[in-house]
Amino acid sequence: MSKRSFVVALAEAGQPLAAVLRKRLKMTLATATGLIRERRVRLAGSPCADPERRVAPGQRVEVVNVGNGKGQGDIPRFAPVVRFADAHIVVVDKPAGLTTMRHPDEAAEFGPRGRRFLPPTLADLLPGLLSPGGRGPRIRAVHRIDKETSGLVVFARTPVAESHLGKQFRAHTVERRYLAMVRGQAAPGRIESSLVRDRGDGRRGTGVGEGQQAITHVRVVEELGAFTLVECRLETGRTHQVRVHLGERGTPLCGERVYDRPLHGQPVADDSGAKRPMLHAARLGVAHPATGERLAWEAAMPDDMATLLKRLRGGAGK
């Protein structure tokens, strides 16, 4: 365990703890807020979970489990990046490892007081990224991507925008394209199935009977020997849709630990060394809820995925 500490200066008196931490350790406000809410910051010897706590001169601030970016206890290496924001919507490039929003069941279980001690979600951090003190209008989540998936997410800032975006998602008119690094030689084509909560082995997947229609269009971007880089265009947007469809085809994501096999099949060997499922929401397109204008954004592949791609390119010819 490593630790960073400092003493609050007279000029910092009365400032919020998160703001002081941000300046002293040269990190983003979102990272500082996350550390505090994860109870990894001590103020005057006691853990503090309130980013808005006002500091006093002479108090010692300690941040524990701050390291070199290699372990779970380290300061996150990446922070959310706001790609677009106006009075109606916000588009964010989410890093892997950050939950998009709290599930309603989890929120109800912990209650308002208990939620203060849970790791912050992107929805929790976003107000602070958009306005000082995070006192702007409520951010309304309209969809989510998995915690370990990186890439683009859109939020609504008004009830009208929330309703309008919700209709687009239900009508499947939102453009969503993912980049995925998979094991094996993937084949292009259209995948359609009916997704159920338990396909027969305890995993979400294709089942018989009532389920949700799921359609994914796969395009091969680059063949990498024993691996493939593919683009997946979602015609529908079901939970874990891309992961399920690719896994059931026998080409699961590099780093996948759940949907890493066909139904009743054995796990597909993973020699990629990936530390997370290699899935990235690379393109997002919506109709603006106020103007109707068609807007689209693209997010570059994150560093861990780009590094893996470079390494696999080097081994493709072996």
Side-chain angles (χ1 to χ4, degrees):
M1 180 181 75
S2 59
K3 178 170 66 176
R4 296 182 189 175
S5 63
F6 59 87
V7 175
V8 176
L10 183 62
E12 297 168 325
Q15 296 183 29
L17 176 59
V20 175
L21 198 64
R22 173 193 181 189
K23 293 178 182 177
R24 284 296 196 104
L25 299 188
K26 301 186 186 307
M27 59 180 61
T28 66
L29 183 61
T31 297
T33 300
L35 289 171
I36 295 167
R37 286 182 171 164
E38 290 175 5
R39 298 180 65 81
R40 286 159 58 186
V41 178
R42 294 192 184 108
L43 181 64
S46 300
C48 179
D50 182 6
E52 296 298 314
R53 174 80 171 272
R54 304 289 170 168
V55 299
Q59 288 181 318
R60 177 169 291 278
V61 178
E62 298 175 297
V63 185
V64 297
N65 288 353
V66 179
N68 57 10
K70 295 181 179 179
Q72 290 183 345
D74 299 320
I75 288 179
R77 295 178 60 193
F78 307 104
V81 176
V82 176
R83 294 291 305 277
F84 177 88
D86 64 8
H88 308 279
I89 64 174
V90 182
V91 177
V92 187
D93 189 350
K94 184 188 83 69
L98 179 63
T99 301
T100 304
M101 58 184 173
R102 191 80 57 210
H103 192 279
D105 292 343
E106 184 182 22
E109 178 183 354
F110 285 90
R113 290 180 60 84
R115 288 200 297 274
R116 295 171 54 195
F117 303 104
L118 295 174
T121 66
L122 176 57
D124 294 330
L125 299 176
L126 198 48
L129 293 174
L130 294 170
S131 61
R135 295 184 176 87
R138 182 169 76 88
I139 303 299
R140 304 163 187 270
V142 292
H143 75 124
R144 72 178 72 206
I145 59 178
D146 290 348
K147 177 179 179 179
E148 296 305 328
T149 298
S150 58
L152 296 167
V153 187
V154 61
F155 292 83
R157 303 188 79 172
T158 68
V160 172
E162 180 181 25
S163 175
H164 197 286
L165 288 172
K167 290 177 181 178
Q168 292 183 56
F169 276 99
R170 289 190 293 274
H172 310 309
T173 59
V174 175
E175 180 185 7
R176 279 176 288 180
R177 296 178 187 266
Y178 287 74
L179 288 175
M181 201 84 70
V182 304
R183 314 169 212 172
Q185 297 175 331
R190 180 179 185 271
I191 306 174
E192 180 176 2
S193 69
S194 178
L195 296 187
V196 296
R197 290 186 176 274
D198 186 345
R199 64 180 184 176
D201 61 357
R203 294 172 175 81
R204 183 183 297 273
T206 300
V208 178
E210 291 188 7
Q212 292 182 309
Q213 181 192 38
I215 302 173
T216 305
H217 299 268
V218 178
R219 179 176 70 87
V220 173
V221 177
E222 187 173 350
E223 295 179 349
L224 301 160
F227 304 91
T228 312
L229 176 65
V230 299
E231 178 192 78
C232 297
R233 178 174 64 84
L234 273 61
E235 189 170 321
T236 60
R238 309 305 182 190
T239 301
H240 298 171
Q241 177 177 316
V242 172
R243 296 171 60 187
V244 168
H245 276 167
L246 294 175
E248 290 186 341
R249 268 202 167 188
T251 54
L253 296 170
C254 297
E256 176 66 76
R257 300 291 183 267
V258 178
Y259 307 106
D260 58 349
R261 68 199 72 182
L263 178 62
H264 302 310
Q266 295 298 312
V268 179
D270 187 358
D271 299 322
S272 69
K275 303 301 182 184
R276 67 169 178 98
M278 285 289 121
L279 187 62
H280 175 63
R283 183 174 173 87
L284 175 69
V286 301
H288 192 280
T291 67
E293 179 185 2
R294 193 73 192 178
L295 302 174
W297 300 267
E298 294 187 355
M301 188 182 292
D303 286 352
D304 63 342
M305 197 169 180
T307 298
L308 177 61
L309 175 59
K310 183 178 180 179
R311 181 164 59 80
L312 295 182
R313 280 172 174 163
K318 296 180 180 180

